[in-house]
Amino acid sequence: MQDQSPMDGARDVSTAAPTSSDGGPAASQPASAAPSFAEAFQVWAKIGIISFGGPAGQIALMHRTLVDEKRWLDEPRFLNALNFCMLLPGPEAMQLATYAGWRLHGVKGGLTAGLCFVLPGALVVLALSAIYALFGNVPLVEAAFVGIKAAVLAIVIGALLKIAQRALKRGSDWVIAAAAFVAIFALAVPFPVIILAAALFGFFRGIGTVKASDGAQGPASKTPALALSDAASANPTWSDTVTTVVVWLAVWLVPLAVLAFALGPDHVLAQIGWFFSKLAVVTFGGAYAVLAYMAQEAVQGYGWLKPGEMLDGLGLAETTPGPLILVTQFVGFLAGLRAEGGDAAWAMALAAVVVTLWATFAPCFLWIFAGAPYVERLNDAPRLKSALAGVTAAVVGVILNLSVWFTLHVLFATVGEVEVGPFRLALPDLATYDAVAVVLAAVALAAMFIAKRGVLTTLVICAGAALVWHGLQGLGVLHG
């Protein structure tokens, strides 16, 4: 498999038009007849198993499969669907797959496509989380994770540069990004508040936008017809939409509410359900953007993990197929495992994984099934596009905060906090710097930005270098 760019984790992939398999611009080819459900299931399963490389790589894989090879979607409809998914919280690649499945086979098809996209990676993350819990303190494993953390630091910096390059096009975008960074880094403003403020600013900024400036692409209805499911071919009514919203809100929230009522709101499973449900509605900008908020709550608020363990979890998620937001599963696993003692700990960890996945991905089906009938009207909503641009600019500031947070905790053993008026600043103890981590971080940066290596290659290089370093120390060749 071709190695993906280290900066493919950014959410701004819609600005570059997909290309055809011969390298040129993809032509708007007539779509083929809808496949059988069995044929579609095989394709969704294959995509789920090989969907490495972050959202950009995953979206490129789906474009090649659905537009170029299978021709189940034509180019304009694919791009409209992608733009719609970019407006939503949650993993856009998984939601794009869900939308495509819905167009072909209705709710059954959407559920199948979405679950196939998530479950292979979820199983791998579950296995890796169990291995981590069992052997995480083994010196050899700890040495490997020193390298993984250094690679993750470089990956996050790459995502920051990529998204900043495309998101900060106007002076007001820079102002939004700077304000978001100061708010989350120095003032501890909650992430959802930052996202809401940026969306409102972008929405009102877009009031004067002329519709014609949003692009010359005509409505998708003028493109060649595609065989659709009954759900996709029907004209939606408001009553249909309200019914869909009510049903999927119940699917999402009722089991979690019953769990909280039965166990009490302070039980770890109830806390996990509430926390990740809240996270699911603010995950704009992908996993990188929300990770700082998640780390702050999981590490400092709930005490489920240590700062270094959050980095380990992201490293695990980077090496698996499926959406990067599966890092939440790692958090939930450790939270459940540590809430109980003895044999019950593993049962609680599995229960926590189920609750985490439910709270993280059930909302994705709500957004798609409620909004999918309106996808092709997106081009007539310039204010929504402007609101998304505001959120994307704020995400730059949030990812900058994440980069600073990672840098401090990877390179220094002790990070303190000082208060200067209304500001609370994280400052490292310079005497506690980790020389090995500094060298490996430099290796990771060189691998990605000079040698142009991708995520998986960089992770392997850094983990391998860390193991070599550990082995030389064990032989007495190196010290410290």
Side-chain angles (χ1 to χ4, degrees):
M1 178 179 298
Q2 184 177 0
D3 202 11
Q4 299 294 336
S5 166
M7 295 176 284
D8 280 347
R11 191 182 176 92
D12 59 330
V13 293
S14 66
T15 56
T19 57
S20 63
S21 58
D22 62 1
S28 181
Q29 299 176 336
S32 64
S36 67
F37 181 78
E39 181 184 356
F41 175 80
Q42 293 177 354
V43 171
W44 302 132
K46 177 182 177 181
I47 289 175
I49 292 171
I50 65 175
S51 58
F52 293 89
Q58 293 159 357
I59 289 168
L61 170 64
M62 280 189 282
H63 180 272
R64 184 171 65 249
T65 303
L66 303 180
V67 178
D68 293 337
E69 297 176 0
K70 300 296 183 180
R71 292 190 292 146
W72 294 343
L73 287 176
D74 49 44
E75 187 75 22
R77 287 188 173 94
F78 182 90
L79 293 178
N80 271 347
L82 176 58
N83 288 336
F84 170 68
C85 293
M86 295 276 290
L87 287 169
L88 303 174
E92 65 272 29
M94 175 265 185
Q95 290 169 154
L96 180 60
T98 303
Y99 171 81
W102 173 85
R103 282 193 65 95
L104 295 174
H105 297 104
V107 172
K108 177 179 72 172
L111 281 171
T112 301
L115 291 175
C116 284
F117 194 87
V118 170
L119 290 181
L123 292 174
V124 175
V125 171
L126 175 61
L128 293 177
S129 298
I131 293 171
Y132 180 87
L134 288 170
F135 305 110
N137 292 326
V138 174
L140 197 64
V141 176
E142 287 186 337
F145 271 99
V146 170
I148 290 174
K149 291 174 187 178
V152 168
L153 173 59
I155 291 165
V156 173
I157 292 175
L160 169 66
L161 296 176
K162 182 68 171 181
I163 196 171
Q165 180 183 8
R166 299 204 175 181
L168 307 183
K169 298 178 179 178
R170 295 180 284 184
S172 58
D173 293 330
W174 286 87
V175 171
I176 294 173
F181 172 73
V182 172
I184 197 168
F185 177 76
L187 297 174
V189 177
F191 179 73
V193 174
I194 295 173
I195 291 299
L196 177 61
L200 289 174
F201 182 89
F203 180 85
F204 288 109
R205 182 180 61 177
I207 288 179
T209 302
V210 180
K211 288 186 178 181
S213 67
D214 285 338
Q217 178 181 312
S221 59
K222 295 182 180 180
T223 59
L226 170 67
L228 303 175
S229 66
D230 292 339
S233 59
N235 291 323
T237 65
W238 283 110
S239 61
D240 294 333
T241 303
V242 170
T243 300
T244 300
V245 170
V246 170
V247 168
W248 280 95
L249 275 175
V251 170
W252 170 20
L253 296 177
V254 168
L256 301 179
V258 171
L259 192 67
F261 179 80
L263 301 177
D266 295 329
H267 193 277
V268 65
L269 294 182
Q271 291 178 333
I272 288 172
W274 162 245
F275 176 62
F276 288 114
S277 291
K278 181 172 60 173
L279 203 69
V281 301
V282 299
T283 316
F284 296 93
Y288 288 116
V290 80
L291 193 63
Y293 171 62
M294 180 169 61
Q296 181 182 18
E297 292 297 315
V299 175
Q300 300 175 7
Y302 292 101
W304 292 334
L305 286 83
K306 300 174 183 177
E309 291 174 332
M310 180 61 70
L311 294 171
D312 295 341
L314 185 60
L316 290 179
E318 285 279 7
T319 63
T320 61
L324 187 59
I325 199 63
L326 282 172
V327 66
T328 58
Q329 180 185 340
F330 175 81
V331 175
F333 181 91
L334 291 185
L337 186 70
R338 292 166 179 173
E340 296 284 346
D343 295 337
W346 290 98
M348 186 61 67
L350 291 175
V353 165
V354 173
V355 173
T356 300
L357 293 175
W358 190 277
T360 299
F361 293 104
C364 297
F365 294 109
L366 166 61
W367 315 143
I368 293 299
F369 294 148
Y374 304 94
V375 162
E376 293 176 9
R377 304 181 188 183
L378 182 62
N379 281 347
D380 295 325
R383 294 184 187 179
L384 284 178
K385 289 187 175 181
S386 183
L388 174 63
V391 170
T392 305
V395 163
V396 175
V398 174
I399 296 179
L400 175 58
N401 170 71
L402 177 62
S403 300
V404 173
W405 189 87
F406 273 4
T407 300
L408 295 177
H409 286 90
V410 169
L411 304 185
F412 299 93
T414 303
V415 179
E417 190 177 81
V418 297
E419 294 188 13
V420 182
F423 301 103
R424 300 174 62 184
L425 305 176
L427 292 177
D429 181 352
L430 299 180
T432 64
Y433 81 96
D434 187 336
V436 176
V438 171
V439 171
L440 291 175
V443 169
L445 291 169
M448 291 202 299
F449 295 104
I450 298 177
K452 305 300 182 182
R453 297 295 89 192
V455 169
L456 294 177
T457 300
T458 302
L459 285 165
V460 170
I461 289 172
C462 290
L467 290 173
V468 170
W469 194 299
H470 176 76
L472 292 176
Q473 281 185 316
L475 295 174
V477 177
L478 293 177
H479 301 280

